[in-house]
Amino acid sequence: MRYEVQLASFSEKKTRVIELQRDGSDWRVILDGRPVAADAVEIAPHTFSILFEGRSFEITVTPSPDGTLNLQTGGQDFTAEVIDPRAWTGRRHANVEAEGRQQVVAPMPGKVVRLLVKEGDYVEAGQGLLVVEAMKMQNEIRSPKSGTVERILAKEGQPVNAGEVLCVVS
């Protein structure tokens, strides 16, 4: 997964490219094209302990209503906006609804934590179908079209791989 992150502090604004790659049970982090040693653990709600190239940071993350994140670490404040290429695609085609029978697939490896619909339910385009947790973040998987949930192929608690079919909407 590749993300563009715009970081702003009181005095400057930077854009960084962060790429996350699965490496067995761990993650490999590439920052601006350079592999870096990094690890993160949530130690309290919205507070993370991060090891970055041998240095330790404690960062408090507070979401803003405008979708940005307010970050505080070591007396410094930053604002971060994460730009996900998948979000660009979604915004660009926001008014286009898929046609025909659609297989809904997992966008990333993770675990199904909640089913939001049952087989036979009628759903609207954009309605949540299920929730997949990946990297301690929950991602609602939405219907690409209005229609009926024909089949649900995933169960709560089930691990899934990227591209695996989770359900079918017709």
Side-chain angles (χ1 to χ4, degrees):
M1 293 179 289
R2 188 181 185 113
Y3 299 94
E4 186 175 312
V5 179
Q6 293 177 344
L7 287 172
S9 67
F10 181 71
S11 60
E12 66 180 308
K13 189 173 189 175
K14 291 183 195 177
T15 299
R16 310 295 293 264
V17 176
I18 299 171
E19 190 171 344
L20 302 172
Q21 297 174 347
R22 181 63 97 171
D23 187 12
S25 62
D26 295 324
W27 289 92
R28 195 168 151 224
V29 179
I30 300 171
L31 178 63
D32 296 329
R34 183 177 64 89
V36 294
D39 191 26
V41 175
E42 187 172 16
I43 57 175
H46 304 288
T47 303
F48 296 85
S49 175
I50 297 178
L51 288 175
F52 182 77
E53 300 204 310
R55 295 177 53 202
S56 178
F57 300 90
E58 187 173 300
I59 299 178
T60 302
V61 180
T62 310
S64 294
D66 65 359
T68 61
L69 300 171
N70 295 317
L71 311 174
Q72 291 182 309
T73 182
Q76 294 182 309
D77 293 332
F78 297 90
T79 302
E81 180 180 0
V82 180
I83 302 169
D84 180 351
R86 292 171 299 179
W88 296 336
T89 303
R91 281 196 296 262
R92 200 170 48 234
H93 302 293
N95 297 326
V96 177
E97 185 175 321
E99 293 182 18
R101 187 172 185 252
Q102 295 292 311
Q103 292 185 336
V104 179
V105 299
M108 65 197 78
K111 180 172 83 170
V112 176
V113 293
R114 194 166 50 251
L115 297 176
L116 303 174
V117 295
K118 301 182 301 290
E119 286 183 7
D121 285 356
Y122 179 80
V123 294
E124 294 288 334
Q127 179 178 338
L129 300 171
L130 52 111
V131 178
V132 174
E133 182 177 83
M135 296 180 3
K136 300 182 183 174
M137 301 217 24
Q138 294 192 355
N139 303 283
E140 187 175 76
I141 309 302
R142 299 175 184 274
S143 179
K145 62 173 277 175
S146 297
T148 303
V149 178
E150 185 178 305
R151 291 185 66 200
I152 298 178
L153 302 164
K155 295 181 173 79
E156 287 185 6
Q158 173 185 336
V160 293
N161 295 312
E164 187 174 330
V165 178
L166 303 172
C167 67
V168 178
V169 179
S170 59

